Amino acid sequence: MFWRIWWRLLRGSRARLAVAFLAIASGATVCAALLNLQFDADRKLTREFRTLGANLVVSPAGPLGANPGEPLLMSEHVLDHIAAISAPPGTVAAPYLYIVGRAAASPNSEPKNVIIAGTHLSEMSSLAPFWKIDTMELPEPDPNKGCLVGKSVAQQLGLSLGNALELSYGNSHEQLRVSGIVTAGGPDDNQVFVDLPVAQRLAGLDGRISLVQLSVPQTPAAIEQFTSRIAAQLPGVTVRPIRQLAEGEGRLFSRIKGLLLATVILILVLTALCVLATMAALAMDRRLDVGLMKALGGSMRQVLHLFLLEAGSLGLAGGLVGCGAGLLLSEWVGRRVFGASVTPRLEVLPITLALMVGVSLAGAFPLRLLARVKPAVIFRGEA
Amino acid sequence: MSPLVQVENLVKQFGKLRALDGLSLTVEAGEWIAVMGPSGSGKTTLINILGGLDSPTSGSVLMDGADIAGLGESELVRYRAEKVGFVFQQFHLIPYLTALENVMLAQYFHSITDEEQAAAALRRVGLADRLEHLPAQLSGGEQQRVAIARALINQPKLILADEPTGNLDEANEQIVLNIFRELHSAGHTIVMVTHAPAIARLADRRIELAHGRLEQITAVSAEV
């Protein structure tokens, strides 16, 4: 009989309850969408941030050498040690050896000082995805190795794609060919990028590197943990986040999460207020019914159970419908904002349902006031 | 044998208004009492107190030997579910429950529901073909018969009727009164508020109230 009355209650007040249902379903839609976005935001934002390049630098720890001008170097095996530490998935690492050498477009032209960066040229697309590189395929066989030249260097030396380039450091010389011109919009435009062995041979620093740059596509917290692991296992090095970027990521992460959370809370409050208004009207409608139920021997607990179950059912139904719509909404927002689909997260369903049932029960507070209904007063028409 | 209901020096005060002013009366088991009097004389207040819907300011109401004036809220709930059945002038059916469900609602609050028993109660008042109708689909007389079936379903010791024919036309009034006659013949105890002397004459005794006091008790048989 309990369920029969419950069903009749729902049917009997369907016009008013439809308003509450719409409010709950709308609230659940936005909540589910935001929660799904929040859960997926880490992955999406991390991927977006990684298009900005490396976010960690590993360099030799002090003290400085005997000659203060002498650069600090470390073994390139550091790269192997880092690889041995369980790096977060998707991590890309590249060694760098920086030297200041001289560059000339031809044997007859005046050489100019340039910064030569020896690295793994094949990793550059992952470590510096923001670079714009004009490239060309070098003809095979070509005795000269390819190199990437910063835009400013190319302009100063009058270099174009495919031109020969002679790099010198002390008495060492290397003949290279320009396979790409880099436009980075920063210091990289003033450098020449060569394969690491070329730079090491030129400087006579076999097996030595200046630093390692890492791109770790993880949340700030996960990057922090990885940094601590490297520092603990490689005492001879210093691990530094590229601060401006890392702090920006952290701030944006917390702001976006805070914004999403605040919006969810606001939506919940608004939904509860709407349910409250509907239930207050319903409570007024049902005073006589409640008075009658009490007159027939119904305890307040029995009567309230009915009404609270009705409110809970409303929350559950609205939550279910809203959750489905919310996942679709988050998918749409994900495509619009991140340019990629947002993975539906299973945990959003129980959280949204629990929130909506909670909001409905809180919004059903006016029905609790029916406990004060006195049948004789109701029948006298005084309340 | 002690009376089913024994009211002693009953007082009910609403602010400055004294609705019942030292009322005393008894109702024997199986008796039909008609309560009469002008508006504001305390008839409905008496019914409400006898039915546990309201509590007296002072005095005692012994029902089956127990003083309902001293019952707590939860005990009053059980009292209403088990001891009394109400029939109101306005019928007071739950509008979104069918006739059958309205009767079963009283069963539900009493103990457990029995659909067949509820249907039998409705058949007894001539509503065999109205079981699944909502109150809005029933005439006034039919709604009142549903209310009577609901009042009887838990076999209460006392049936309290507050002007049960006040909203009915003559034909339906006769149908409802015939049902009350049958109930009385079957041994039910009825306390009925009425303004109609003709209806009061069907009762065993007529109690007349004025300003919350007992003005007159008349044994109807003595009038005949």
Side-chain angles (χ1 to χ4, degrees):
Chain A
M1 186 62 190
F2 182 80
W3 296 104
R4 210 159 158 171
I5 302 170
W6 162 78
W7 178 241
R8 295 291 188 186
L9 271 175
L10 286 176
R11 281 175 55 95
S13 309
R14 55 182 175 273
R16 281 205 194 280
L17 293 178
V19 176
F21 175 82
L22 278 177
I24 294 168
S26 308
T29 300
V30 180
C31 282
L34 293 180
L35 286 172
N36 203 45
L37 282 172
Q38 172 144 0
F39 285 136
D40 216 40
D42 288 354
R43 193 167 63 85
K44 286 281 176 289
L45 285 174
T46 300
R47 204 172 64 184
E48 291 292 313
F49 279 130
R50 292 293 44 82
T51 62
L52 301 178
N55 51 358
L56 278 185
V57 173
V58 179
S59 58
L64 292 171
N67 179 359
E70 183 181 322
L72 275 172
L73 297 173
M74 59 187 181
S75 166
E76 69 178 309
H77 291 306
V78 166
L79 203 61
D80 302 327
H81 293 312
I82 291 172
I85 299 169
S86 54
T91 299
V92 176
Y96 281 83
L97 173 63
Y98 289 105
I99 55 174
V100 179
R102 294 176 73 77
S106 66
N108 300 327
S109 60
E110 182 68 21
K112 292 185 186 301
N113 286 341
V114 291
I115 297 170
I116 300 167
T119 184
H120 293 168
L121 291 180
S122 57
E123 305 284 7
M124 297 319 292
S125 59
S126 300
L127 271 170
F130 56 95
W131 278 6
K132 178 178 176 293
I133 310 177
D134 295 325
T135 56
M136 68 168 289
E137 288 290 323
L138 294 180
E140 294 286 349
D142 190 330
N144 299 333
K145 286 189 171 294
C147 67
L148 302 175
V149 178
K151 184 182 172 186
S152 300
V153 176
Q155 282 173 349
Q156 283 175 22
L157 298 177
L159 291 169
S160 304
L161 286 172
N163 285 170
L165 175 68
E166 184 177 285
L167 296 180
S168 58
Y169 183 86
N171 296 323
S172 302
H173 302 273
E174 288 284 339
Q175 287 294 331
L176 302 158
R177 193 168 298 281
V178 179
S179 60
I181 294 177
V182 174
T183 305
D188 294 345
D189 289 347
N190 300 317
Q191 297 175 17
V192 175
F193 297 87
V194 300
D195 271 323
L196 180 63
V198 173
Q200 288 172 333
R201 203 164 50 237
L202 199 59
L205 293 169
D206 277 355
R208 309 296 286 169
I209 56 174
S210 307
L211 53 85
V212 176
Q213 283 192 9
L214 294 120
S215 173
V216 187
Q218 292 296 322
T219 61
I223 294 169
E224 187 72 33
Q225 285 177 0
F226 183 51
T227 303
S228 302
R229 283 206 301 277
I230 296 175
Q233 296 189 29
L234 299 174
V237 304
T238 302
V239 189
R240 288 175 292 116
I242 296 180
R243 188 153 298 282
Q244 196 178 4
L245 197 57
E247 284 181 353
E249 287 180 35
R251 274 201 302 273
L252 194 58
F253 263 113
S254 61
R255 279 181 189 174
I256 286 183
K257 286 195 164 190
L259 181 68
L260 291 176
L261 187 66
T263 312
V264 166
I265 291 171
L266 183 68
I267 295 291
L268 289 176
V269 170
L270 290 175
T271 306
L273 285 176
C274 190
V275 175
L276 192 85
T278 307
M279 289 301 181
L282 208 57
M284 291 297 287
D285 287 352
R286 288 181 176 168
R287 282 172 310 153
L288 187 60
D289 298 348
V290 171
L292 180 64
M293 287 180 184
K294 281 181 148 183
L296 293 177
S299 69
M300 207 50 237
R301 201 180 61 177
Q302 285 174 304
V303 176
L304 278 184
H305 274 178
L306 268 172
F307 291 150
L308 291 180
L309 181 73
E310 178 192 34
S313 312
L314 209 60
L316 203 63
L320 266 175
V321 170
C323 202
L327 292 179
L328 292 176
L329 180 63
S330 68
E331 171 76 14
W332 181 78
V333 171
R335 286 189 184 282
R336 297 281 298 191
V337 176
F338 299 112
S341 64
V342 173
T343 313
R345 302 290 291 250
L346 203 60
E347 57 265 45
V348 169
L349 178 67
I351 292 174
T352 307
L353 290 184
L355 285 174
M356 289 305 130
V357 170
V359 159
S360 302
L361 292 178
F365 181 77
L367 292 177
R368 292 168 199 264
L369 301 178
L370 293 172
R372 297 181 190 166
V373 164
K374 291 194 180 303
V377 176
I378 291 290
F379 294 151
R380 277 200 297 271
E382 292 175 2
Chain B
M1 194 173 139
S2 59
L4 178 68
V5 181
Q6 189 164 1
V7 176
E8 288 287 345
N9 202 22
L10 192 63
V11 174
K12 179 66 183 179
Q13 190 99 23
F14 294 110
K16 289 181 180 174
L17 175 72
R18 187 164 274 223
L20 292 175
D21 189 7
L23 182 70
S24 297
L25 60 90
T26 58
V27 180
E28 301 295 334
E31 196 176 17
W32 180 348
I33 300 283
V35 182
M36 299 188 74
S39 294
S41 60
K43 305 182 297 294
T44 298
T45 303
L46 174 64
I47 288 276
N48 284 344
I49 290 175
L50 289 179
L53 296 181
D54 217 341
S55 50
T57 306
S58 65
S60 68
V61 180
L62 294 178
M63 168 71 181
D64 220 8
D67 188 0
I68 62 171
L71 296 181
E73 185 53 39
S74 61
E75 293 163 318
L76 276 176
V77 166
R78 289 322 303 160
Y79 170 77
R80 291 194 291 261
E82 292 170 1
K83 303 282 188 184
V84 294
F86 287 100
V87 181
F88 303 97
Q89 181 182 0
Q90 306 291 342
F91 323 134
H92 290 324
L93 301 177
I94 303 279
Y96 40 83
L97 297 183
T98 64
L100 186 66
E101 288 162 346
N102 264 289
V103 177
M104 289 171 72
L105 187 66
Q107 288 180 316
Y108 171 69
F109 289 136
H110 179 268
S111 50
I112 53 168
T113 55
D114 181 338
E115 192 164 343
E116 188 42 50
Q117 191 185 33
L122 285 168
R123 282 195 289 269
R124 186 176 166 190
V125 294
L127 294 175
D129 56 346
R130 294 284 193 269
L131 302 186
E132 297 303 327
H133 285 61
L134 293 170
Q137 298 166 319
L138 300 173
S139 70
E142 287 170 331
Q143 289 188 51
Q144 194 59 297
R145 281 186 273 164
V146 174
I148 292 170
R150 183 182 63 190
L152 294 174
I153 194 66
N154 295 322
Q155 291 149 351
K157 297 231 170 197
L158 180 63
I159 296 170
L160 298 168
D162 191 355
E163 297 192 55
T165 59
N167 273 348
L168 301 181
D169 58 29
E170 202 172 331
N172 276 304
E173 181 181 283
Q174 281 311 312
I175 293 170
V176 168
L177 288 176
N178 283 339
I179 294 171
F180 275 104
R181 273 200 200 99
E182 287 170 21
L183 293 174
H184 182 229
S185 302
H188 287 277
T189 308
I190 302 167
V191 176
M192 179 189 286
V193 169
T194 182
H195 283 291
I199 295 173
R201 277 195 287 276
L202 298 173
D204 297 322
R205 279 192 295 155
R206 190 171 66 223
I207 292 172
E208 291 187 42
L209 302 181
H211 305 296
R213 295 178 185 206
L214 186 61
E215 187 140 295
Q216 191 177 1
I217 298 181
T218 310
V220 175
S221 56
E223 290 183 327
V224 178

